[in-house]
Amino acid sequence: MDCEGLTGKVIVPGDPGYERARQDYNRAISQYPAMIVYCTDSRDIANAICRAEKDGLGLRVRSGGHDYEGYSNGTGKLVIDTSLLNQVQINLQDATVKVQAGTRLLSLYEQLYEYGYTFPGGTCPTVAISGLILGGGIGLSTRYLGLTADSLLEASMINYAGEQLVANRQCNSDLFWALRGAGGGNFGVVTDYTFRLEKVDQITVIQLRWDNNKAARDRFLALWQEWLPGLDCRMSAFGGIYPAGAWLNGFFYGTTETARQLLRPFLAIPGLTLEITMYVPFIDAIKIIGAIYPKSETFQAAGRFVQRTLSRNQLDTLIHIIEQAPSERDSSIRVYSLGGAVRDVKPEETAFAYRQADYIMALMSAWKKEDEARAHRRWIMQGFCFIETITLGSYVNFPYNRTQGYLQAYFGKNLPRLQDIKAAYDPYNVFRFPQSLQPPL
Ligand SMILES: Cc1cc2nc3c(=O)[nH]c(=O)nc-3n(C[C@H](O)[C@H](O)[C@H](O)COP(=O)(O)OP(=O)(O)OC[C@H]3O[C@@H](n4cnc5c(N)ncnc54)[C@H](O)[C@@H]3O)c2cc1C
């Protein structure tokens, strides 16, 4: 393979590192890019964009490689990989940080916590800041501190022509709006983000599990939807049900005593097999929840926004769906709390369309052997058909390749404005993938 015009570390099929470099977090998706360019500066990125265009290869942009559908990668494509761009510059004077595109969340949390700071990030230690913040970004600080994108003050991006643009409230403000909720892979390669920091010390970390407990499983979602409205916004939680039980993980920015009072309805469900409510240094809480994630998984998943109270019938249908799941342990219906600080930002301020939603509901199913894949994918598809009927739209960071009218589903009423911004910043549709924005015809 001819690497002329390319700078940075280039890996092509046949190179010793290729097998590792082509793989992403989700091993259910196997793709064989023509080239992977590990970029170390803006020039490497500009050269890679130019080369992909010259060869008509088509581009993909990758940072942490955690996209559920592998949209940051592609067979026969040139992958611009920013994972070597991982510098973090903390500015203590104004409590901000400048983070390069490929920085992984755990490393970022650790560096910030050394100075007593944090930001509202996600829970998986190896997700990169780019995909997370560009799609909105939810986690266990969301109800207290907002979406990850809500902390963003400025981003730098290399556009289709290899030019560096700065986007903030004053400069390229339409792009700045779009990058906060619809930025993943759509407009250019973002190289760094400057965002606001929050002081943090100790918090209460929560882990509750009801294993081998179908009675708890059957009560969980009804309780969740009663509990969430009006919940103290210092608490955020992710939980769910699986065929054999249920679980709830959370952070509370306050004491264990108050957290336990807020959790009373859940603590009253009999048969807890794990009950952790501990007041710990923030970074320990991050690591306790982060330890749940494996290094990679083979799975399919899909996530939608809920903004209604589900009826008894609808809850029963969800229980029926989980009973049909292909795996006792690795198939689940998950819920991720929103509300609180997410609603403090005006809906029109960013491209994140579903700010008023109460929570995200996701289906997830993981398998070990290739011949199991079909059953898991079929279960996701059937479950999704029902979940679509009780939800508003889809979370772009939990994408699903079978979503009908996916652009409308991800971006709702913001779609026309996003298409205009796409036309202005990527008029030749250089940055495209199977579910990307397209300029209007
Ligand atoms: C195990 C796991 C746990 C997760 N937990 C959470 C969570 O707690 N909260 C949450 O909100 N989400 C979560 N997610 C979803 C996650 O936020 C998205 O998958 C996110 O897009 C991943 O970002 P990435 O950079 O790691 O992935 P990538 O696959 O590298 O990129 C994802 C998307 O962003 C684009 N992109 C990547 N880098 C750039 C760049 N530099 N410039 C422009 N576009 C770029 C890609 O082209 C692609 O479209 C989780 C995902 C997994 C697999």
Side-chain angles (χ1 to χ4, degrees):
M1 184 74 68
D2 166 22
C3 300
E4 194 202 316
L6 290 173
T7 51
K9 184 178 166 201
V10 183
I11 301 224
V12 298
D15 284 353
Y18 181 77
E19 194 48 29
R20 190 149 168 233
R22 75 171 186 85
Q23 287 179 340
D24 296 315
Y25 182 87
N26 186 359
R27 296 295 159 88
I29 298 162
S30 191
Q31 305 190 90
Y32 294 86
M35 295 182 189
I36 300 155
V37 185
Y38 288 92
C39 298
T40 53
D41 57 24
S42 303
R43 188 181 65 118
D44 295 347
I45 296 172
N47 287 340
I49 294 170
C50 173
R51 175 61 192 270
E53 278 304 284
K54 209 163 93 192
D55 288 1
L57 277 179
L59 271 181
R60 293 291 152 80
V61 188
R62 180 170 78 176
S63 288
H66 282 60
D67 192 285
Y68 281 4
E69 294 288 4
Y71 292 152
S72 54
N73 195 343
T75 296
K77 307 290 177 201
L78 186 155
V79 174
I80 295 181
D81 187 299
T82 73
S83 57
L84 298 179
L85 288 166
N86 55 18
Q87 297 300 305
V88 172
Q89 245 178 290
I90 302 169
N91 184 344
L92 296 175
Q93 247 88 58
D94 63 358
T96 62
V97 65
K98 187 171 178 175
V99 183
Q100 284 192 310
T103 308
R104 311 269 175 170
L105 297 188
L106 178 59
S107 157
L108 180 55
Y109 282 126
E110 283 180 326
Q111 294 182 63
L112 296 178
Y113 191 69
E114 272 184 38
Y115 296 92
Y117 283 108
T118 195
F119 74 109
T123 47
C124 174
T126 50
V127 161
I129 188 66
S130 281
L132 180 81
I133 200 166
L134 295 173
I138 58 160
L140 294 179
S141 303
T142 301
R143 289 170 45 80
Y144 189 45
L145 301 175
L147 300 171
T148 315
D150 294 342
S151 296
L152 190 66
L153 301 169
E154 184 172 287
S156 302
M157 189 187 87
I158 310 290
N159 72 1
Y160 70 98
E163 298 156 346
Q164 178 114 32
L165 306 181
V166 169
N168 58 36
R169 270 180 220 284
Q170 287 76 40
C171 180
N172 295 311
S173 57
D174 46 357
L175 177 65
F176 183 58
W177 174 83
L179 290 180
R180 289 172 293 157
N186 278 315
F187 302 101
V189 184
V190 181
T191 54
D192 56 73
Y193 309 86
T194 300
F195 53 84
R196 206 179 54 228
L197 296 175
E198 306 291 339
K199 270 274 171 208
V200 76
D201 184 5
Q202 307 239 125
I203 63 163
T204 299
V205 62
I206 298 148
Q207 278 190 296
L208 306 179
R209 286 193 73 86
W210 298 263
D211 290 308
N212 301 318
N213 188 335
K214 291 192 178 175
R217 177 198 74 183
D218 293 351
R219 283 175 66 178
F220 184 87
L221 291 176
L223 194 53
W224 166 267
Q225 69 168 2
E226 256 173 53
W227 177 73
L228 196 54
L231 176 66
D232 186 324
C233 71
R234 290 174 298 166
M235 185 174 290
S236 301
F238 289 180
I241 59 174
Y242 61 104
W247 80 95
L248 188 78
N249 297 327
F251 282 178
F252 178 62
Y253 282 74
T255 62
T256 300
E257 292 69 40
T258 316
R260 289 185 69 83
Q261 274 168 24
L262 296 172
L263 290 166
R264 249 191 331 232
F266 284 106
L267 293 172
I269 302 181
L272 273 163
T273 44
L274 176 70
E275 186 183 336
I276 294 176
T277 50
M278 271 190 317
Y279 197 58
V280 294
F282 178 80
I283 196 64
D284 293 357
I286 287 289
K287 288 179 184 169
I288 288 168
I289 298 297
I292 294 167
Y293 294 97
K295 283 201 162 43
S296 64
E297 284 174 279
T298 305
F299 72 97
Q300 190 164 42
R304 303 267 305 172
F305 292 96
V306 185
Q307 194 179 335
R308 70 199 289 175
T309 305
L310 304 180
S311 67
R312 188 63 254 172
N313 265 349
Q314 291 164 336
L315 291 166
D316 287 344
T317 306
L318 291 169
I319 292 167
H320 177 70
I321 289 171
I322 207 67
E323 279 174 341
Q324 307 300 310
S327 165
E328 269 288 287
R329 303 244 141 230
D330 295 326
S331 303
S332 52
I333 299 176
R334 300 174 173 203
V335 286
Y336 303 78
S337 64
L338 294 172
V342 181
R343 294 199 182 121
D344 294 346
V345 175
K346 289 198 194 90
E348 63 277 11
E349 263 192 41
T350 71
F352 186 84
Y354 300 103
R355 212 168 261 288
Q356 297 305 316
D358 303 313
Y359 59 96
I360 291 171
M361 177 177 286
L363 287 160
M364 155 91 178
S365 207
W367 56 94
K368 298 268 180 311
K369 297 194 209 107
E370 181 53 36
D371 63 356
E372 297 167 346
R374 254 179 85 153
H376 287 262
R377 290 186 187 281
R378 193 178 329 113
W379 180 73
I380 295 280
M381 189 179 71
Q382 287 167 350
F384 190 78
C385 282
F386 174 68
I387 285 178
E388 247 185 327
T389 67
I390 57 168
T391 50
L392 275 183
S394 290
Y395 179 34
V396 72
N397 273 355
F398 293 172
Y400 179 47
N401 62 14
R402 285 178 174 266
T403 310
Q404 302 287 322
Y406 52 85
L407 289 178
Q408 191 63 42
Y410 294 133
F411 304 120
K413 64 178 179 9
N414 291 330
L415 182 58
R417 184 172 174 197
L418 284 168
Q419 284 169 322
D420 289 345
I421 296 171
K422 173 79 175 172
Y425 287 91
D426 183 23
Y428 306 108
N429 202 15
V430 167
F431 296 97
R432 56 179 185 270
F433 55 91
Q435 291 191 340
S436 58
L437 281 165
Q438 284 144 27
L441 293 173

